[in-house]
Amino acid sequence: MGVTALVMAGGKGMRMALCREKPLLEVDGKPMIHHVLEALGDSKKIGEIVVAASKHTPNTAKFVERFHVKVLETAGDDYVSDMKYAIKTLNLETVLTISADLPLISGKTIDKAVK
């Protein structure tokens, strides 16, 4: 089995005055998280994808259902706390943590990072 990708998508997006959830902001006609999930799907090193969402990102959690990935609800307190919670709760061992707001990432880049 490959590496588990943990997509962090539960933040408040406080540094930006947003009218919608940050992972759903569109770049090139698609939400940023869509680009990230496609890149993870193209990766040869990723075995499973988990999206960590929270009460701050309910629309993001609903959106990613179409990708047939595991969604874990976290407290949404902060990135590190949510990451630790996800890793511990799911008993993950080998993990690539990636933000939902990296629309220019590619499967090849992910594979290089994992290697």
Side-chain angles (χ1 to χ4, degrees):
M1 183 172 156
V3 174
T4 299
L6 179 59
V7 182
M8 302 303 294
K12 298 176 193 171
M14 293 175 54
R15 292 184 300 269
M16 301 172 77
L18 299 175
C19 59
R20 63 191 309 185
E21 297 168 20
K22 188 164 86 169
L24 297 179
L25 292 176
E26 290 192 4
V27 173
D28 197 26
K30 294 188 282 192
M32 289 193 286
I33 195 166
H34 188 145
H35 293 283
V36 172
L37 293 175
E38 283 182 335
L40 290 168
D42 290 343
S43 168
K44 294 177 180 21
K45 304 281 186 186
I46 301 299
E48 180 181 27
I49 301 170
V50 177
V51 176
S54 75
K55 62 186 174 197
H56 307 297
T57 55
N59 294 324
T60 298
K62 182 141 183 75
F63 175 80
V64 300
E65 288 175 358
R66 69 185 76 185
F67 293 92
H68 306 291
V69 297
K70 185 180 291 186
V71 178
L72 176 69
E73 184 167 346
T74 63
D77 293 333
D78 62 75
Y79 190 100
V80 174
S81 297
D82 288 353
M83 177 183 61
K84 287 180 180 179
Y85 172 80
I87 291 170
K88 184 176 180 181
T89 299
L90 299 173
N91 198 27
L92 301 177
E93 292 185 20
T94 307
V95 181
L96 170 76
T97 305
I98 186 167
S99 295
D101 60 356
L102 297 174
L104 302 180
I105 196 78
S106 70
K108 286 182 181 182
T109 301
I110 291 167
D111 287 344
K112 286 180 183 179
V114 170
K115 185 178 176 187

